[in-house]
Amino acid sequence: MAAPFDNTLVLGQLLDPKQIENLEKLAAIDHPENMADRKLGKLMLSERKLTGIHDQMKQFIDESDVKSTEQLGKMFLQLEAVKIRIGKAAGDLIDKTLAGLDAKDEFREKTPEKRIGVSIESPIDFTLSSTAVFPLSSDGMEFDVQYFRSEANEEKTDSTIDNKEDRGIKSGQAGQGEGG
């Protein structure tokens, strides 16, 4: 579980351990919402991947091949099941977000100190001091990028060769026209 980001937390600042405990409690309150958000994100990513694969398969499948057509149908049903799960996960995220907001408001009302620190930084000798590294929620960004490209050549030409001279040139008989 990562500690929530607080821009007032400065390296070298003397902190009351109670303030770190408060950050850990806020992280525990945020945890269910973060997990629901992660679940929704992974389901949406899966849906995008499956949709891309499904669309690619539709382009290359032989419709007379019964086995391939059945496989495509099964994939479509799985896509629909994933979409239903996305809807449920979105509802769960909404519920957990609202519950988390209420819990954070209640926690902040009970907590006397609103910020990590407003004091002047301490003159610490960093070579003699040890620092503890806490993961921040802003450090936990995950990316999974997919790129699907589906295009068709829609360029058409209406030009045709209508006269004998042009046909002669086209077939490599240049210079055999008039006077040649």
Side-chain angles (χ1 to χ4, degrees), residues 54-177:
H54 183 263
D55 292 346
Q56 291 291 321
M57 281 182 65
K58 279 195 320 189
Q59 288 181 0
F60 299 111
I61 199 166
D62 180 15
E63 293 184 14
S64 64
D65 183 10
V66 176
K67 186 177 179 182
S68 297
T69 308
E70 286 177 4
Q71 189 177 20
L72 195 64
K74 287 178 186 177
M75 182 176 272
F76 179 76
L77 293 175
Q78 289 173 344
L79 264 170
E80 293 303 310
V82 168
K83 289 178 183 178
I84 290 169
R85 290 177 63 189
I86 287 173
K88 289 178 182 177
D92 187 43
L93 176 60
I94 290 169
D95 293 342
K96 290 188 176 167
T97 299
L98 294 174
L101 288 172
D102 292 340
K104 282 188 247 182
D105 288 344
E106 185 179 312
F107 176 76
R108 287 186 178 124
E109 286 174 8
K110 293 179 183 177
T111 307
E113 296 185 33
K114 303 295 182 198
R115 298 179 65 120
I116 289 291
V118 291
S119 62
I120 299 173
E121 292 182 33
S122 64
I124 293 178
D125 184 357
F126 289 107
T127 58
L128 300 175
S129 302
S130 64
T131 57
V133 178
F134 295 99
L136 296 174
S137 60
S138 61
D139 293 337
M141 297 174 68
E142 295 178 11
F143 293 96
D144 187 1
V145 179
Q146 294 274 326
Y147 177 72
F148 292 101
R149 182 176 175 168
S150 178
E151 63 182 41
N153 185 2
E154 296 180 9
E155 293 180 18
K156 295 180 181 173
T157 180
D158 293 330
S159 65
T160 57
I161 299 174
D162 285 337
N163 60 30
K164 290 181 184 179
E165 291 174 9
D166 287 342
R167 278 186 268 169
I169 293 171
K170 180 69 175 173
S171 65
Q173 297 173 2
Q176 293 181 4

Side-chain angles (χ1 to χ4, degrees), residues 20-36:
I20 298 296
E21 289 173 17
N22 288 343
L23 270 180
E24 289 173 343
K25 288 177 184 175
L26 276 174
I29 291 170
D30 279 340
H31 186 69
E33 178 186 350
N34 291 341
M35 297 312 312

